Amino acid sequence: MSAKSAISKEIFAPLDERMLGAVQVKRRTKKKIPFLATGGQGEYLTYICLSVTNKKPTQASITKVKQFEGSTSFVRRSQWMLEQLRQVNGIDPNRDSAEFDLLFENTFDQWVASTASEKCTFFQILHHTCQRYLTDRKPEFINCQSKIMGGNSILHSAADSVTSAVQKASQALNERGERLGRAEEKTEDMKNSAQQFAETAHKLAMKHKC
């Protein structure tokens, strides 16, 4: 079983929550530890997890989960409701980067994902979840590559293409209608001219007989 599957089963399933995505991270800058702090628990792995409740109304949250060296279990640490997320910073929109920042109402963390690809996948899931479950206040996504918002970009692009095609088709139909209208006007004018010519010829013929 992978670490993410184990986290989902061990941390979120017992609370009737569903894990949507997770990214393994480490801090870009070491967190300052108080001078009196002693008895650390050694090395550990850190995961940032995104989950939602199965019960309605659905609530989404971001949870920091740790696995300490020598242990097969996972420990839930800090947790924030998705509404508390204020900004997601992808650091560099022009290249694949594993670095990112998360800004919450009461804290700010600087992370490095295990890979740029894993970060990108997590960002895509996070962005989609924010769009789906947050209505009043959505976090700002800055310095992110366009592929992170790829789902929406593709949809917008497809919508724009359809709109453009409809507009072109409508314009073509209008132009065709105008051409047909002008042709009908010319035909009617020709019919009237022919009828007038016939009437005039008939009158002259009758006058000549007389």
Side-chain angles (χ1 to χ4, degrees), residues 90 92-98 115-128 141 143-155:
D92 193 337
N94 300 315
R95 67 180 180 88
D96 290 334
S97 169
T115 65
S117 176
E118 189 178 8
K119 165 199 160 182
C120 180
T121 299
F122 181 76
F123 269 32
Q124 288 173 334
I125 297 171
L126 179 59
H127 182 263
H128 173 76
F141 282 73
N143 299 321
C144 294
Q145 291 178 293
S146 58
K147 62 183 177 182
I148 288 175
M149 273 45 108
N152 288 340
S153 298
I154 292 171
L155 289 176

Side-chain angles (χ1 to χ4, degrees), residues 4 62 73 168 193 204:
K4 293 178 184 178
I62 295 176
S73 61
K168 288 180 180 179
S193 297
L204 288 173

Side-chain angles (χ1 to χ4, degrees), residues 33-43 68 77:
I33 300 176
F35 179 74
L36 296 177
T38 58
Q41 293 178 277
E43 296 295 324
F68 290 94
R77 289 305 196 191

Side-chain angles (χ1 to χ4, degrees), residues 23-26 97-100 111-116 118-120:
V23 56
Q24 183 182 336
V25 298
K26 61 181 180 180
S97 169
E99 298 181 350
F100 67 95
W111 300 108
V112 180
S114 57
T115 65
E118 189 178 8
K119 165 199 160 182
C120 180

Side-chain angles (χ1 to χ4, degrees), residues 18-201:
R18 178 164 49 95
M19 191 177 82
L20 302 179
V23 56
Q24 183 182 336
V25 298
K26 61 181 180 180
R27 292 188 182 278
R28 291 211 311 277
T29 55
K30 290 186 177 181
K31 198 170 186 178
K32 292 182 179 180
I33 300 176
F35 179 74
L36 296 177
T38 58
Q41 293 178 277
E43 296 295 324
Y44 55 82
L45 299 177
T46 303
Y47 297 85
I48 302 298
C49 307
L50 178 64
S51 64
V52 293
T53 58
N54 290 319
K55 293 182 179 180
K56 305 294 183 180
T58 303
Q59 293 184 321
S61 59
I62 295 176
T63 306
K64 187 191 303 179
V65 174
K66 292 186 177 182
Q67 182 184 35
F68 290 94
E69 187 177 22
S71 174
T72 58
S73 61
F74 298 88
V75 181
R76 182 191 295 259
R77 289 305 196 191
S78 306
Q79 185 177 50
W80 302 269
M81 300 306 296
L82 194 59
E83 290 85 351
Q84 295 177 284
L85 182 61
R86 292 290 171 260
Q87 187 183 86
V88 179
N89 189 342
I91 305 300
D92 193 337
N94 300 315
R95 67 180 180 88
D96 290 334
S97 169
E99 298 181 350
F100 67 95
D101 296 341
L102 295 179
L103 174 64
F104 295 92
E105 286 182 348
N106 56 357
T107 189
F108 172 70
D109 283 322
Q110 297 177 308
W111 300 108
V112 180
S114 57
T115 65
S117 176
E118 189 178 8
K119 165 199 160 182
C120 180
T121 299
F122 181 76
F123 269 32
Q124 288 173 334
I125 297 171
L126 179 59
H127 182 263
H128 173 76
T129 304
C130 289
Q131 298 304 310
R132 181 175 181 180
Y133 294 109
L134 298 181
T135 55
D136 297 332
R137 185 175 182 180
K138 295 180 175 62
E140 179 185 21
F141 282 73
I142 64 172
N143 299 321
C144 294
Q145 291 178 293
S146 58
K147 62 183 177 182
I148 288 175
M149 273 45 108
N152 288 340
S153 298
I154 292 171
L155 289 176
H156 288 316
S157 177
D160 291 342
S161 297
V162 171
T163 301
S164 177
V166 170
Q167 290 175 343
K168 288 180 180 179
S170 178
Q171 183 179 356
L173 287 173
N174 288 336
E175 291 176 353
R176 183 179 179 184
E178 289 176 0
R179 288 197 299 270
L180 288 173
R182 288 195 295 269
E184 288 177 355
E185 289 177 0
K186 288 182 179 180
T187 301
E188 189 65 26
D189 289 342
M190 291 175 67
K191 286 172 62 179
N192 291 336
S193 297
Q195 186 176 357
Q196 290 176 1
F197 178 78
E199 290 176 354
T200 302

